[in-house]
Amino acid sequence: MLLIKAVLFDGYGTLFAGGMERLYGLCQQICDDHRLDLDGKGFLHEWDQHFFPMLRGDAFMTFRVANNRSLKATFAQLEIEADQEPYVDHFFELLGEVSLYDEVRSTIEKLNGFPHGVVSNADSDHLQAALDRNELHFDLVVSSESAQAYKPNPDIFLPALEKLGVSASDALYVGDSQEDDLEGAHRAGIKMAWVNRDGSVLKEGIPAPDYEIEDLSEVLGILGV
């Protein structure tokens, strides 16, 4: 029987709902403001071409800086003559206003006394704002900003493991992203519970999770609490 001494959760898409919908809405607003022949998802596709290489480059930059620089590059590519910063500022406000999936609060409350934390690709300010807004409390919170690393880089997990005093093999990570969470946990040697809310198929080349769950309530059974 696997012994799990601590559980760590991803933030957006795992605890927090509606983040992508808010991002699509912002992208649609940009399209409408500048009369682009794109919809929100199409604009986000263009933005992502600039954003993810910045996040995965050799030099660390915060989530806010990466969004500002990549959106500025996207505006230049699409010949939009506007300041990108107000849009990024609004996006970060939205990230602090997300709600919880239905089962999250009851699940976290039942972990009282069992070591648990959050490890999220995020800046510290908007991640903490989302936790505060939803009155969620964890033993620790590690952002990519505080760890100076983004998943799937395994280094992002090190501060959490150190603070909780557990080895990677004794921890469980719970997340929704195949590329970030499954790959990151695999690289770190942490057991993985993949939250697959919509019945997605595992992509080729992505390591299989130790557990596949439909929502966070199933974590309690895995932990035996």
Short mmCIF file of all heavy atoms in Angstrom, two decimals, residues 136-198:
data_model
loop_
_atom_site.label_atom_id
_atom_site.label_comp_id
_atom_site.label_asym_id
_atom_site.label_seq_id
_atom_site.Cartn_x
_atom_site.Cartn_y
_atom_site.Cartn_z
N LEU A 136 -10.08 30.04 1.45
CA LEU A 136 -9.39 28.75 1.48
C LEU A 136 -8.07 28.91 2.22
O LEU A 136 -7.33 29.87 1.96
CB LEU A 136 -9.11 28.24 0.07
CG LEU A 136 -10.22 27.51 -0.69
CD1 LEU A 136 -9.66 26.94 -1.97
CD2 LEU A 136 -10.87 26.42 0.15
N HIS A 137 -7.75 27.98 3.08
CA HIS A 137 -6.53 28.06 3.88
C HIS A 137 -5.74 26.75 3.75
O HIS A 137 -6.30 25.67 3.88
CB HIS A 137 -6.87 28.34 5.35
CG HIS A 137 -7.72 29.55 5.54
ND1 HIS A 137 -7.21 30.83 5.44
CD2 HIS A 137 -9.04 29.68 5.79
CE1 HIS A 137 -8.18 31.69 5.64
NE2 HIS A 137 -9.31 31.03 5.85
N PHE A 138 -4.44 26.88 3.49
CA PHE A 138 -3.56 25.74 3.32
C PHE A 138 -2.34 25.89 4.23
O PHE A 138 -2.01 26.98 4.67
CB PHE A 138 -3.10 25.64 1.86
CG PHE A 138 -4.20 25.25 0.91
CD1 PHE A 138 -5.07 26.20 0.39
CD2 PHE A 138 -4.37 23.93 0.53
CE1 PHE A 138 -6.08 25.85 -0.48
CE2 PHE A 138 -5.38 23.56 -0.34
CZ PHE A 138 -6.25 24.52 -0.84
N ASP A 139 -1.67 24.77 4.46
CA ASP A 139 -0.47 24.80 5.28
C ASP A 139 0.64 25.60 4.60
O ASP A 139 1.50 26.16 5.28
CB ASP A 139 0.02 23.37 5.57
CG ASP A 139 -0.98 22.57 6.39
OD1 ASP A 139 -1.73 23.19 7.18
OD2 ASP A 139 -1.02 21.34 6.24
N LEU A 140 0.63 25.62 3.29
CA LEU A 140 1.61 26.41 2.55
C LEU A 140 1.07 26.71 1.17
O LEU A 140 0.21 26.01 0.65
CB LEU A 140 2.95 25.67 2.44
CG LEU A 140 2.97 24.34 1.69
CD1 LEU A 140 3.22 24.55 0.20
CD2 LEU A 140 4.03 23.43 2.24
N VAL A 141 1.59 27.79 0.59
CA VAL A 141 1.24 28.18 -0.77
C VAL A 141 2.53 28.49 -1.51
O VAL A 141 3.30 29.36 -1.08
CB VAL A 141 0.31 29.41 -0.81
CG1 VAL A 141 0.04 29.84 -2.24
CG2 VAL A 141 -1.00 29.11 -0.08
N VAL A 142 2.79 27.79 -2.59
CA VAL A 142 3.97 28.03 -3.42
C VAL A 142 3.50 28.46 -4.80
O VAL A 142 2.75 27.74 -5.47
CB VAL A 142 4.84 26.76 -3.55
CG1 VAL A 142 6.00 27.01 -4.52
CG2 VAL A 142 5.38 26.34 -2.18
N SER A 143 3.90 29.64 -5.22
CA SER A 143 3.63 30.11 -6.57
C SER A 143 4.88 29.94 -7.41
O SER A 143 5.99 29.77 -6.88
CB SER A 143 3.23 31.60 -6.54
OG SER A 143 4.35 32.39 -6.16
N SER A 144 4.71 30.01 -8.72
CA SER A 144 5.89 29.97 -9.57
C SER A 144 6.79 31.17 -9.28
O SER A 144 8.02 31.07 -9.36
CB SER A 144 5.49 29.93 -11.05
OG SER A 144 4.52 30.92 -11.33
N GLU A 145 6.18 32.28 -8.90
CA GLU A 145 6.96 33.46 -8.57
C GLU A 145 7.83 33.21 -7.34
O GLU A 145 9.03 33.54 -7.32
CB GLU A 145 6.05 34.65 -8.32
CG GLU A 145 6.80 35.94 -8.00
CD GLU A 145 5.88 37.12 -7.75
OE1 GLU A 145 4.68 36.91 -7.51
OE2 GLU A 145 6.37 38.26 -7.80
N SER A 146 7.27 32.63 -6.29
CA SER A 146 8.04 32.40 -5.07
C SER A 146 9.09 31.30 -5.27
O SER A 146 10.17 31.35 -4.67
CB SER A 146 7.12 32.03 -3.90
OG SER A 146 6.48 30.78 -4.11
N ALA A 147 8.81 30.31 -6.13
CA ALA A 147 9.76 29.23 -6.38
C ALA A 147 10.73 29.55 -7.51
O ALA A 147 11.72 28.83 -7.69
CB ALA A 147 9.01 27.94 -6.72
N GLN A 148 10.40 30.61 -8.29
CA GLN A 148 11.22 30.98 -9.45
C GLN A 148 11.31 29.84 -10.47
O GLN A 148 12.35 29.59 -11.07
CB GLN A 148 12.62 31.41 -9.01
CG GLN A 148 12.65 32.67 -8.15
CD GLN A 148 12.38 33.94 -8.95
OE1 GLN A 148 13.24 34.40 -9.70
NE2 GLN A 148 11.18 34.50 -8.80
N ALA A 149 10.18 29.15 -10.65
CA ALA A 149 10.12 28.04 -11.61
C ALA A 149 8.66 27.78 -11.96
O ALA A 149 7.76 28.02 -11.15
CB ALA A 149 10.74 26.78 -11.03
N TYR A 150 8.45 27.30 -13.17
CA TYR A 150 7.12 26.94 -13.64
C TYR A 150 7.06 25.44 -13.89
O TYR A 150 8.01 24.84 -14.40
CB TYR A 150 6.79 27.65 -14.97
CG TYR A 150 6.57 29.14 -14.84
CD1 TYR A 150 7.60 30.03 -15.09
CD2 TYR A 150 5.32 29.64 -14.48
CE1 TYR A 150 7.40 31.40 -14.99
CE2 TYR A 150 5.10 31.01 -14.37
CZ TYR A 150 6.15 31.89 -14.63
OH TYR A 150 5.94 33.24 -14.52
N LYS A 151 5.94 24.83 -13.51
CA LYS A 151 5.70 23.45 -13.95
C LYS A 151 5.74 23.42 -15.48
O LYS A 151 5.26 24.37 -16.11
CB LYS A 151 4.33 22.96 -13.47
CG LYS A 151 4.17 22.88 -11.96
CD LYS A 151 2.72 22.56 -11.56
CE LYS A 151 1.78 23.70 -11.90
NZ LYS A 151 0.38 23.43 -11.50
N PRO A 152 6.31 22.41 -16.10
CA PRO A 152 6.67 21.11 -15.53
C PRO A 152 8.07 21.04 -14.91
O PRO A 152 8.53 19.93 -14.62
CB PRO A 152 6.57 20.18 -16.74
CG PRO A 152 6.97 21.03 -17.89
CD PRO A 152 6.38 22.39 -17.58
N ASN A 153 8.75 22.16 -14.74
CA ASN A 153 10.04 22.13 -14.05
C ASN A 153 9.83 21.59 -12.63
O ASN A 153 9.08 22.17 -11.85
CB ASN A 153 10.61 23.56 -13.99
CG ASN A 153 12.01 23.61 -13.40
OD1 ASN A 153 12.43 22.72 -12.65
ND2 ASN A 153 12.74 24.66 -13.72
N PRO A 154 10.48 20.50 -12.27
CA PRO A 154 10.25 19.91 -10.95
C PRO A 154 10.70 20.78 -9.79
O PRO A 154 10.29 20.54 -8.65
CB PRO A 154 11.04 18.60 -11.00
CG PRO A 154 12.09 18.82 -12.04
CD PRO A 154 11.46 19.72 -13.07
N ASP A 155 11.53 21.79 -10.07
CA ASP A 155 12.03 22.65 -8.99
C ASP A 155 10.92 23.39 -8.26
O ASP A 155 11.10 23.79 -7.10
CB ASP A 155 13.03 23.67 -9.55
CG ASP A 155 14.35 23.02 -9.96
OD1 ASP A 155 14.55 21.84 -9.65
OD2 ASP A 155 15.16 23.71 -10.62
N ILE A 156 9.78 23.58 -8.92
CA ILE A 156 8.69 24.31 -8.26
C ILE A 156 8.16 23.56 -7.04
O ILE A 156 7.63 24.17 -6.11
CB ILE A 156 7.54 24.60 -9.26
CG1 ILE A 156 6.55 25.63 -8.68
CG2 ILE A 156 6.83 23.32 -9.66
CD1 ILE A 156 5.49 26.09 -9.67
N PHE A 157 8.34 22.24 -7.01
CA PHE A 157 7.83 21.45 -5.89
C PHE A 157 8.76 21.44 -4.68
O PHE A 157 8.34 21.10 -3.57
CB PHE A 157 7.59 20.00 -6.34
CG PHE A 157 6.54 19.86 -7.39
CD1 PHE A 157 6.89 19.65 -8.72
CD2 PHE A 157 5.19 19.92 -7.07
CE1 PHE A 157 5.93 19.52 -9.70
CE2 PHE A 157 4.22 19.78 -8.04
CZ PHE A 157 4.58 19.58 -9.37
N LEU A 158 10.02 21.79 -4.89
CA LEU A 158 11.01 21.64 -3.82
C LEU A 158 10.69 22.44 -2.57
O LEU A 158 10.81 21.92 -1.45
CB LEU A 158 12.41 22.00 -4.35
CG LEU A 158 12.94 21.11 -5.48
CD1 LEU A 158 14.33 21.58 -5.92
CD2 LEU A 158 12.98 19.66 -5.04
N PRO A 159 10.27 23.73 -2.68
CA PRO A 159 9.96 24.48 -1.45
C PRO A 159 8.83 23.85 -0.64
O PRO A 159 8.85 23.86 0.59
CB PRO A 159 9.58 25.87 -1.97
CG PRO A 159 10.21 25.98 -3.30
CD PRO A 159 10.17 24.60 -3.87
N ALA A 160 7.82 23.31 -1.33
CA ALA A 160 6.69 22.70 -0.63
C ALA A 160 7.13 21.43 0.10
O ALA A 160 6.77 21.22 1.27
CB ALA A 160 5.57 22.38 -1.62
N LEU A 161 7.89 20.59 -0.58
CA LEU A 161 8.35 19.35 0.04
C LEU A 161 9.23 19.65 1.25
O LEU A 161 9.13 19.00 2.29
CB LEU A 161 9.11 18.50 -0.97
CG LEU A 161 8.30 18.00 -2.17
CD1 LEU A 161 9.21 17.30 -3.17
CD2 LEU A 161 7.17 17.08 -1.75
N GLU A 162 10.10 20.65 1.09
CA GLU A 162 11.00 21.01 2.19
C GLU A 162 10.24 21.53 3.40
O GLU A 162 10.50 21.13 4.54
CB GLU A 162 12.01 22.06 1.71
CG GLU A 162 13.02 22.46 2.77
CD GLU A 162 14.04 23.46 2.25
OE1 GLU A 162 14.03 23.76 1.03
OE2 GLU A 162 14.84 23.95 3.06
N LYS A 163 9.27 22.41 3.15
CA LYS A 163 8.52 22.99 4.27
C LYS A 163 7.67 21.94 4.98
O LYS A 163 7.53 21.96 6.21
CB LYS A 163 7.64 24.14 3.79
CG LYS A 163 6.93 24.86 4.94
CD LYS A 163 6.29 26.15 4.49
CE LYS A 163 5.64 26.87 5.68
NZ LYS A 163 5.01 28.16 5.26
N LEU A 164 7.10 21.02 4.22
CA LEU A 164 6.26 19.97 4.82
C LEU A 164 7.11 18.84 5.41
O LEU A 164 6.59 18.00 6.15
CB LEU A 164 5.30 19.40 3.78
CG LEU A 164 4.18 20.35 3.32
CD1 LEU A 164 3.36 19.70 2.22
CD2 LEU A 164 3.27 20.75 4.48
N GLY A 165 8.40 18.80 5.06
CA GLY A 165 9.28 17.79 5.61
C GLY A 165 9.01 16.40 5.09
O GLY A 165 9.14 15.42 5.84
N VAL A 166 8.64 16.31 3.81
CA VAL A 166 8.36 15.00 3.21
C VAL A 166 9.20 14.83 1.96
O VAL A 166 9.61 15.81 1.31
CB VAL A 166 6.86 14.82 2.86
CG1 VAL A 166 6.00 14.91 4.10
CG2 VAL A 166 6.42 15.85 1.82
N SER A 167 9.47 13.60 1.60
CA SER A 167 10.17 13.31 0.35
C SER A 167 9.16 13.31 -0.80
O SER A 167 7.95 13.18 -0.58
CB SER A 167 10.87 11.96 0.44
OG SER A 167 9.93 10.92 0.57
N ALA A 168 9.67 13.43 -2.01
CA ALA A 168 8.79 13.43 -3.18
C ALA A 168 7.97 12.15 -3.25
O ALA A 168 6.78 12.18 -3.60
CB ALA A 168 9.62 13.60 -4.45
N SER A 169 8.56 11.02 -2.90
CA SER A 169 7.87 9.74 -3.00
C SER A 169 6.75 9.58 -1.99
O SER A 169 5.90 8.69 -2.13
CB SER A 169 8.87 8.59 -2.84
OG SER A 169 9.51 8.67 -1.58
N ASP A 170 6.72 10.47 -0.98
CA ASP A 170 5.67 10.41 0.04
C ASP A 170 4.56 11.44 -0.19
O ASP A 170 3.67 11.59 0.65
CB ASP A 170 6.27 10.64 1.43
CG ASP A 170 7.14 9.47 1.89
OD1 ASP A 170 6.90 8.34 1.44
OD2 ASP A 170 8.06 9.70 2.69
N ALA A 171 4.63 12.15 -1.32
CA ALA A 171 3.66 13.21 -1.59
C ALA A 171 2.74 12.83 -2.76
O ALA A 171 3.09 12.01 -3.62
CB ALA A 171 4.37 14.51 -1.90
N LEU A 172 1.56 13.44 -2.77
CA LEU A 172 0.61 13.30 -3.87
C LEU A 172 0.34 14.68 -4.42
O LEU A 172 0.10 15.63 -3.67
CB LEU A 172 -0.70 12.68 -3.37
CG LEU A 172 -1.83 12.58 -4.41
CD1 LEU A 172 -1.51 11.49 -5.44
CD2 LEU A 172 -3.18 12.28 -3.74
N TYR A 173 0.39 14.81 -5.76
CA TYR A 173 0.03 16.08 -6.40
C TYR A 173 -1.28 15.89 -7.14
O TYR A 173 -1.49 14.88 -7.82
CB TYR A 173 1.12 16.54 -7.36
CG TYR A 173 0.90 17.97 -7.85
CD1 TYR A 173 0.85 19.02 -6.94
CD2 TYR A 173 0.72 18.24 -9.19
CE1 TYR A 173 0.63 20.32 -7.38
CE2 TYR A 173 0.51 19.53 -9.63
CZ TYR A 173 0.47 20.57 -8.72
OH TYR A 173 0.25 21.86 -9.14
N VAL A 174 -2.15 16.88 -7.03
CA VAL A 174 -3.48 16.83 -7.65
C VAL A 174 -3.60 17.99 -8.62
O VAL A 174 -3.48 19.16 -8.23
CB VAL A 174 -4.58 16.92 -6.58
CG1 VAL A 174 -5.96 16.78 -7.24
CG2 VAL A 174 -4.40 15.87 -5.50
N GLY A 175 -3.80 17.69 -9.90
CA GLY A 175 -3.89 18.76 -10.88
C GLY A 175 -4.60 18.31 -12.14
O GLY A 175 -4.84 17.12 -12.34
N ASP A 176 -4.90 19.28 -13.00
CA ASP A 176 -5.71 19.01 -14.19
C ASP A 176 -4.92 19.03 -15.50
O ASP A 176 -5.36 18.47 -16.49
CB ASP A 176 -6.85 20.03 -14.30
CG ASP A 176 -6.32 21.43 -14.60
OD1 ASP A 176 -5.58 21.98 -13.75
OD2 ASP A 176 -6.63 21.96 -15.67
N SER A 177 -3.78 19.71 -15.52
CA SER A 177 -3.06 19.91 -16.78
C SER A 177 -2.16 18.72 -17.10
O SER A 177 -1.34 18.32 -16.28
CB SER A 177 -2.21 21.18 -16.70
OG SER A 177 -1.33 21.26 -17.82
N GLN A 178 -2.31 18.20 -18.31
CA GLN A 178 -1.46 17.09 -18.71
C GLN A 178 0.00 17.54 -18.87
O GLN A 178 0.92 16.91 -18.35
CB GLN A 178 -1.97 16.47 -20.02
CG GLN A 178 -3.37 15.87 -19.89
CD GLN A 178 -3.73 15.03 -21.09
OE1 GLN A 178 -2.90 14.33 -21.66
NE2 GLN A 178 -5.00 15.08 -21.49
N GLU A 179 0.21 18.65 -19.57
CA GLU A 179 1.56 19.11 -19.87
C GLU A 179 2.27 19.64 -18.63
O GLU A 179 3.48 19.41 -18.45
CB GLU A 179 1.54 20.19 -20.95
CG GLU A 179 1.10 19.72 -22.32
CD GLU A 179 -0.41 19.62 -22.50
OE1 GLU A 179 -1.15 19.97 -21.55
OE2 GLU A 179 -0.86 19.21 -23.58
N ASP A 180 1.57 20.37 -17.79
CA ASP A 180 2.20 20.98 -16.62
C ASP A 180 2.18 20.05 -15.40
O ASP A 180 3.22 19.82 -14.78
CB ASP A 180 1.48 22.29 -16.25
CG ASP A 180 1.69 23.36 -17.30
OD1 ASP A 180 2.67 23.27 -18.06
OD2 ASP A 180 0.87 24.30 -17.36
N ASP A 181 1.01 19.53 -15.06
CA ASP A 181 0.85 18.79 -13.80
C ASP A 181 1.33 17.34 -13.90
O ASP A 181 2.12 16.88 -13.06
CB ASP A 181 -0.61 18.85 -13.34
CG ASP A 181 -1.06 20.29 -13.09
OD1 ASP A 181 -0.20 21.12 -12.74
OD2 ASP A 181 -2.26 20.57 -13.23
N LEU A 182 0.84 16.61 -14.88
CA LEU A 182 1.26 15.22 -15.01
C LEU A 182 2.75 15.13 -15.32
O LEU A 182 3.48 14.34 -14.71
CB LEU A 182 0.46 14.49 -16.09
CG LEU A 182 -0.84 13.83 -15.63
CD1 LEU A 182 -1.90 14.88 -15.34
CD2 LEU A 182 -1.37 12.85 -16.68
N GLU A 183 3.21 15.94 -16.24
CA GLU A 183 4.62 15.92 -16.60
C GLU A 183 5.49 16.43 -15.45
O GLU A 183 6.53 15.85 -15.14
CB GLU A 183 4.86 16.77 -17.85
CG GLU A 183 6.29 16.77 -18.36
CD GLU A 183 6.74 15.42 -18.86
OE1 GLU A 183 5.92 14.68 -19.45
OE2 GLU A 183 7.93 15.09 -18.66
N GLY A 184 5.05 17.49 -14.79
CA GLY A 184 5.82 18.05 -13.68
C GLY A 184 5.95 17.10 -12.51
O GLY A 184 7.04 16.92 -11.95
N ALA A 185 4.83 16.49 -12.11
CA ALA A 185 4.87 15.54 -11.00
C ALA A 185 5.74 14.33 -11.34
O ALA A 185 6.49 13.83 -10.50
CB ALA A 185 3.46 15.09 -10.65
N HIS A 186 5.64 13.87 -12.59
CA HIS A 186 6.46 12.74 -13.02
C HIS A 186 7.94 13.07 -12.91
O HIS A 186 8.74 12.27 -12.40
CB HIS A 186 6.10 12.38 -14.46
CG HIS A 186 6.92 11.28 -15.04
ND1 HIS A 186 6.76 9.96 -14.69
CD2 HIS A 186 7.94 11.31 -15.95
CE1 HIS A 186 7.62 9.22 -15.36
NE2 HIS A 186 8.35 10.01 -16.13
N ARG A 187 8.32 14.24 -13.36
CA ARG A 187 9.73 14.64 -13.30
C ARG A 187 10.21 14.78 -11.86
O ARG A 187 11.38 14.51 -11.57
CB ARG A 187 9.93 15.97 -14.03
CG ARG A 187 9.74 15.92 -15.53
CD ARG A 187 10.12 17.26 -16.15
NE ARG A 187 9.73 17.36 -17.54
CZ ARG A 187 9.96 18.42 -18.31
NH1 ARG A 187 10.58 19.48 -17.79
NH2 ARG A 187 9.57 18.45 -19.57
N ALA A 188 9.31 15.20 -10.98
CA ALA A 188 9.69 15.41 -9.58
C ALA A 188 9.66 14.12 -8.77
O ALA A 188 10.12 14.11 -7.62
CB ALA A 188 8.76 16.45 -8.94
N GLY A 189 9.12 13.05 -9.32
CA GLY A 189 9.00 11.79 -8.59
C GLY A 189 7.87 11.79 -7.58
O GLY A 189 7.90 11.04 -6.60
N ILE A 190 6.85 12.61 -7.84
CA ILE A 190 5.69 12.72 -6.95
C ILE A 190 4.52 11.94 -7.54
O ILE A 190 4.27 11.99 -8.75
CB ILE A 190 5.29 14.21 -6.78
CG1 ILE A 190 6.43 14.99 -6.13
CG2 ILE A 190 4.01 14.34 -5.95
CD1 ILE A 190 6.17 16.49 -6.06
N LYS A 191 3.80 11.23 -6.71
CA LYS A 191 2.61 10.52 -7.18
C LYS A 191 1.58 11.53 -7.66
O LYS A 191 1.45 12.62 -7.10
CB LYS A 191 2.04 9.63 -6.07
CG LYS A 191 2.94 8.43 -5.77
CD LYS A 191 2.35 7.56 -4.68
CE LYS A 191 2.60 8.15 -3.29
NZ LYS A 191 4.04 8.11 -2.92
N MET A 192 0.83 11.16 -8.69
CA MET A 192 -0.05 12.11 -9.36
C MET A 192 -1.48 11.64 -9.41
O MET A 192 -1.77 10.48 -9.77
CB MET A 192 0.46 12.31 -10.80
CG MET A 192 -0.37 13.28 -11.62
SD MET A 192 -0.20 14.98 -11.05
CE MET A 192 -1.78 15.66 -11.60
N ALA A 193 -2.41 12.53 -9.04
CA ALA A 193 -3.84 12.31 -9.23
C ALA A 193 -4.33 13.32 -10.27
O ALA A 193 -4.33 14.53 -10.00
CB ALA A 193 -4.60 12.48 -7.92
N TRP A 194 -4.69 12.83 -11.42
CA TRP A 194 -5.12 13.68 -12.52
C TRP A 194 -6.62 13.96 -12.39
O TRP A 194 -7.43 13.04 -12.43
CB TRP A 194 -4.82 13.00 -13.85
CG TRP A 194 -5.27 13.74 -15.07
CD1 TRP A 194 -5.38 15.09 -15.22
CD2 TRP A 194 -5.67 13.16 -16.31
NE1 TRP A 194 -5.82 15.40 -16.49
CE2 TRP A 194 -6.00 14.24 -17.18
CE3 TRP A 194 -5.76 11.85 -16.77
CZ2 TRP A 194 -6.44 14.03 -18.48
CZ3 TRP A 194 -6.19 11.65 -18.07
CH2 TRP A 194 -6.52 12.72 -18.92
N VAL A 195 -6.96 15.22 -12.25
CA VAL A 195 -8.37 15.62 -12.20
C VAL A 195 -8.86 15.77 -13.64
O VAL A 195 -8.59 16.77 -14.31
CB VAL A 195 -8.57 16.95 -11.44
CG1 VAL A 195 -10.06 17.23 -11.26
CG2 VAL A 195 -7.87 16.92 -10.10
N ASN A 196 -9.58 14.79 -14.11
CA ASN A 196 -10.07 14.77 -15.49
C ASN A 196 -11.58 14.98 -15.46
O ASN A 196 -12.36 14.03 -15.56
CB ASN A 196 -9.70 13.43 -16.14
CG ASN A 196 -10.02 13.40 -17.62
OD1 ASN A 196 -10.41 14.40 -18.21
ND2 ASN A 196 -9.86 12.23 -18.23
N ARG A 197 -11.99 16.22 -15.32
CA ARG A 197 -13.41 16.55 -15.15
C ARG A 197 -14.24 16.31 -16.41
O ARG A 197 -15.44 16.06 -16.31
CB ARG A 197 -13.55 18.01 -14.70
CG ARG A 197 -12.92 18.32 -13.36
CD ARG A 197 -13.10 19.80 -12.99
NE ARG A 197 -12.39 20.14 -11.77
CZ ARG A 197 -12.85 19.97 -10.54
NH1 ARG A 197 -14.05 19.45 -10.39
NH2 ARG A 197 -12.13 20.30 -9.50
N ASP A 198 -13.62 16.42 -17.57
CA ASP A 198 -14.40 16.36 -18.81
C ASP A 198 -14.13 15.11 -19.64
O ASP A 198 -14.51 15.03 -20.81
CB ASP A 198 -14.14 17.60 -19.66
CG ASP A 198 -12.66 17.80 -19.98
OD1 ASP A 198 -11.85 16.93 -19.60
OD2 ASP A 198 -12.32 18.83 -20.59
#
